[in-house]
Amino acid sequence: MHLLFDKIHETVSYIQSQTTVQPTTGIVLGSGLGGLIDVVDIITEIPYHHIPHFPVSTVEGHAGKLVFGKLGNHPVVLMAGRFHYYEGYSMEEVTFPIRVMKGLGVETVILSNAAGGMNELYQVGDIVIIKDCINLFPEHPLRGKNDERLGVRFLDMSEPFDRQLIEKAQQIATQQSLKVHTGVYVGLQGPTFETRAEYKWLYIIGGDVVGMSTVPEVIVARHGGMKVFAASIVTDLGIRDELNTISHEEVLEAANKAAPKLAALVAALVTTS
Ligand code: HPA
């Protein structure tokens, strides 16, 4: 059997044969946030289907390539198009690119997503810096035999999101006159949006926003000892009124509208580190 460890290193070797960039920051571009690519000086692009062991993304609005370049002076890798559990990928596949980032030398992972808002203070288009998360996925990415070369068996998750990065992002937001919230992200599998009763429940258990990604990637990034920063764009308000229907189109539209603000925040966060 092909061990995960060996697969990661085959993939890393292939990527290193294709680019000279040695990224220290890895950025996962969630729904509608592909625009960050526009502020990166691109050096190499590798479509997922060229990369050994990489899954290929299927969702509309999610291109599929790794982009290597410079954000300011910082060598970065961008994941344009991510893998969602609801698409049918295994947890190992969903989080494989994060393992590869670690293998490439990445020290900080930045994740973005579109999310439904439960917190009553949030509006559509708001940005939420994620300070903690609740894992409601039905499968755990670290389930199974643990390979100590990749990380510890029992991982501490008392502070999954790097406090210094959160504080810095808050300061940058103030400088940019950008309103940001700081909240708790609940991750569940989808692909249905939540019922009204579920949104209410998610709020009661401590969630501020909800989405179908991010949590598995955060867990694996922490397993690999990388620092994590994550932010959501609020694309709909789950618990607000009787007739709050949601469509994927509305989610993408709201995410696209707010994306430049989040891109500017992330760009400043990376370039001033
Ligand atoms: N729920 C889950 N995922 C989402 C939502 C939501 O309301 N909005 C955008 N992604």
Side-chain angles (χ1 to χ4, degrees):
M1 206 185 71
H2 223 108
L3 277 180
L4 175 59
F5 184 85
D6 298 329
K7 281 205 247 176
I8 294 164
H9 286 280
E10 280 173 23
T11 305
V12 167
S13 299
Y14 169 79
I15 291 170
Q16 287 173 335
S17 75
Q18 301 296 305
T19 185
T20 52
V21 180
Q22 295 182 304
T24 52
T25 302
I27 307 176
V28 179
L29 304 175
S31 293
L33 292 176
L36 197 66
I37 286 184
D38 300 336
V39 294
V40 168
D41 295 322
I42 298 174
I43 297 171
T44 315
E45 292 183 293
I46 315 178
Y48 291 160
H49 65 269
H50 288 178
I51 306 176
H53 308 303
F54 241 62
V56 175
S57 66
T58 63
V59 181
E60 219 183 302
H62 294 266
K65 59 187 175 186
L66 283 186
V67 177
F68 294 84
K70 290 272 173 82
L71 190 52
N73 281 327
H74 275 70
V76 295
V77 53
L78 307 187
M79 215 185 137
R82 62 140 64 97
F83 305 105
H84 300 87
Y85 187 71
Y86 62 75
E87 293 175 86
Y89 298 111
S90 67
M91 275 297 176
E92 185 177 308
E93 288 172 313
V94 167
T95 57
F96 186 71
I98 304 293
R99 299 276 189 208
V100 170
M101 285 182 181
K102 169 75 187 176
L104 289 168
V106 166
E107 293 160 4
T108 303
V109 175
I110 297 179
L111 301 138
S112 62
N113 59 62
M118 278 90 70
N119 189 311
E120 285 161 13
L121 299 175
Y122 297 1
Q123 301 295 326
V124 167
D126 282 357
I127 290 171
V128 183
I129 294 171
I130 301 175
K131 66 172 178 195
D132 207 345
C133 62
I134 298 176
N135 181 14
L136 294 183
F137 279 86
E139 192 192 330
H140 199 284
L142 304 184
R143 176 172 176 269
K145 196 171 179 325
N146 189 60
D147 188 333
E148 291 286 329
R149 293 171 295 183
L150 299 177
V152 297
R153 167 76 295 182
F154 298 106
L155 178 65
D156 175 72
M157 286 293 280
S158 59
E159 199 177 296
F161 301 93
D162 187 80
R163 202 184 303 188
Q164 283 173 350
L165 288 172
I166 291 174
E167 283 169 11
K168 204 162 145 200
Q170 288 167 332
Q171 285 162 10
I172 291 167
T174 306
Q175 285 158 15
Q176 295 180 343
S177 304
L178 174 66
K179 177 178 83 171
V180 289
H181 306 286
T182 304
V184 175
Y185 178 93
V186 186
L188 32 67
Q189 68 170 320
T192 44
F193 293 114
E194 290 66 39
T195 63
R196 286 199 297 130
E198 286 165 343
Y199 279 120
K200 195 171 161 196
W201 166 65
L202 295 170
Y203 189 43
I204 291 168
I205 65 169
D208 295 302
V209 285
V210 57
M212 307 172 195
S213 66
T214 304
V215 172
E217 294 138 315
V218 171
I219 292 169
V220 165
R222 293 302 301 142
H223 194 231
M226 295 182 282
K227 286 194 262 183
V228 176
F229 176 82
S232 298
I233 292 178
V234 177
T235 58
D236 50 271
L237 302 171
I239 54 171
R240 242 31 70 95
D241 56 38
E242 301 292 311
L243 291 169
N244 184 33
T245 58
I246 308 170
S247 69
H248 184 53
E249 290 67 35
E250 285 171 291
V251 166
L252 283 182
E253 194 188 318
N256 282 331
K257 237 190 231 167
K261 294 189 290 181
L262 183 53
L265 178 65
V266 167
L269 186 64
V270 173
T271 53
T272 59
S273 320

